[in-house]
Amino acid sequence: EAILRVMGEKIPELPGPKIFNPKQGLLELEDYTGSAPGWYWHSFPSNLIWPGKSKVDAVLLRKLAEKHGFRDKVLLGKICRDLSSGANIGCKEALRTPSRSSIAPTAFEFGPHVSDAIADWLVKGFAFGPVELSEVPSDVKVNGIMCKQKPNGSVRIILNLSAPLGNSVNDGINAHEFPATMSSTTKWLRVLNRAGKGCWIAKVDWSDAYKHIAVRREDLNLQWFSWLGKAFCELCLIFGSKSSVGLYDRLAKLVLFVVCKELGMPL
């Protein structure tokens, strides 16, 4: 009876996003649909280091994994190669031809947020730029950007790697080559039951998760985008790529394995 009563109750509305608190303190523009004036770029961060560098130490991770008896040597080799040499995002040769897609209306709607997020990427070394559009090689893919507002008021930038249809980066990636194993409510309830009444529950979010893995030099021409008349290139795994989930998932699970072993926690 209690379960039926709860099921009939109206689900409360989610709270609205927090007030946007920019990280880089950029001056705001009245319009974000065109090119920004020259003065705007004077205070805009710049990162011209190419290619990017993974944030996880491959040598140390391998040492810790071997210390704790990680059995899958082939998988360990792939993960460490991603970290040391940059990940292969898996786009096949036929779909690596030049293309261009447009910026989504959501990016213009949250113009100050998008600029702040890009500037933050540059400060952290996650993206290359800004450079003039005329400096971009002719054989690249310039992807449109979309954005999704986060609960903290900022936005998550998503490169649209699924456009243009038929000649996109995602069209050239076989997602089955990059499997990811997800959890479920059932698994979580089993763990909760095993832990017992009065147990503590915590959630740990890996900030800038995908950006911990740099992309190999050969694939960077697939990861360009433009904003306010300048060009940029993402140097790490992209939120919007078919292969990013699997590439990140195998690293995250290895790190979890090492952490659990170091702390003496059951896997």
Side-chain angles (χ1 to χ4, degrees), residues 85-196:
S85 303
N88 177 354
I89 67 171
C91 184
K92 301 299 186 289
E93 193 64 38
L95 276 302
R96 299 172 70 91
T97 54
S99 64
R100 182 178 292 271
S101 57
S102 58
I103 298 173
T106 53
F108 298 131
E109 179 184 351
F110 293 97
H113 306 60
V114 171
S115 278
D116 186 68
I118 294 172
D120 196 49
W121 277 358
L122 296 173
V123 170
K124 293 177 177 177
F126 298 157
F128 171 90
V131 295
E132 300 297 333
L133 294 173
S134 59
E135 297 178 61
V136 179
S138 60
D139 60 344
V140 311
K141 286 186 178 292
V142 180
N143 305 281
I145 58 176
M146 307 178 288
C147 72
K148 177 73 174 178
Q149 191 171 25
K150 300 179 183 180
N152 65 6
S154 64
V155 298
R156 174 179 286 112
I157 296 177
I158 306 167
L159 257 65
N160 187 5
L161 297 192
S162 295
L165 188 63
N167 188 30
S168 72
V169 176
N170 279 340
D171 286 326
I173 298 174
N174 182 356
H176 296 294
E177 295 178 3
F178 303 92
T181 306
M182 300 300 176
S183 187
S184 67
T185 303
T186 300
K187 291 179 180 177
W188 182 82
L189 288 173
R190 284 173 179 164
V191 171
L192 184 63
N193 183 62
R194 187 172 66 185

Side-chain angles (χ1 to χ4, degrees), residues 30-63:
E30 292 184 4
D31 180 20
Y32 285 83
T33 59
S35 298
W39 57 260
Y40 182 77
W41 302 106
H42 294 164
S43 60
F44 206 90
S46 173
N47 176 43
L48 300 180
I49 298 174
W50 179 285
K53 183 179 179 181
S54 297
K55 295 183 69 176
V56 180
D57 188 318
V59 175
L60 180 57
L61 183 62
R62 179 187 289 275
K63 185 181 297 184

Side-chain angles (χ1 to χ4, degrees), residues 199-220:
C199 68
W200 287 38
I201 303 172
K203 178 182 181 293
V204 179
D205 185 33
W206 196 345
S207 182
D208 296 322
Y210 286 179
K211 304 309 175 192
H212 282 70
I213 305 177
V215 167
R216 64 176 186 157
R217 185 188 297 266
E218 295 90 334
D219 287 342
L220 292 182

Side-chain angles (χ1 to χ4, degrees), residues 58-78:
V59 175
L60 180 57
L61 183 62
R62 179 187 289 275
K63 185 181 297 184
L64 289 169
E66 291 175 344
K67 167 188 169 184
H68 292 295
F70 189 75
R71 294 182 178 180
D72 194 334
K73 303 300 182 185
V74 174
L75 180 59
L76 178 60
K78 289 180 179 179

